[in-house]
Amino acid sequence: RLLQPFPRIHAAAASCLISLSQPSKCKAESLQAHLQPLLERLFGLLGSSPVFVREEAMTAVATLAQVRQTHPPAAQAVARLD
């Protein structure tokens, strides 16, 4: 039932994800366990959702990618060795 199409809720959820996963506030390891299901849902929204939902979903994907790029786990592991 929760997967039924509710575009405004989907857009609001993507917007919340954008706010919570800003690179200045979020570390990649915090998202690591959730990254795959989050991206699957966001990419699912890109397919047949209204434009305003797709815009929020694409921004959320970009924000998650930015967090991954800003705080890559491998770089942090190397930094700990120094």
Side-chain angles (χ1 to χ4, degrees):
R1 239 169 96 145
L2 290 175
L3 299 179
Q4 292 176 359
F6 295 104
R8 282 189 263 163
I9 293 173
H10 290 157
S15 180
C16 289
L17 185 58
I18 294 164
S19 296
L20 290 172
S21 59
Q22 291 296 318
S24 62
K25 301 176 188 175
C26 185
K27 301 280 186 195
E29 57 266 356
S30 301
L31 289 175
Q32 190 63 37
H34 309 286
L35 198 57
Q36 186 67 30
L38 284 171
L39 288 173
E40 286 175 8
R41 283 297 289 153
L42 289 168
F43 284 125
L45 292 176
L46 293 175
S48 60
S49 298
V51 173
F52 69 96
V53 175
R54 288 183 295 193
E55 289 171 348
E56 291 295 332
M58 184 56 75
T59 304
V61 168
T63 304
L64 291 174
Q66 190 176 11
V67 168
R68 260 317 254 165
Q69 185 177 14
T70 304
H71 304 288
Q76 292 175 356
V78 170
R80 288 185 204 130
L81 295 175
D82 292 339

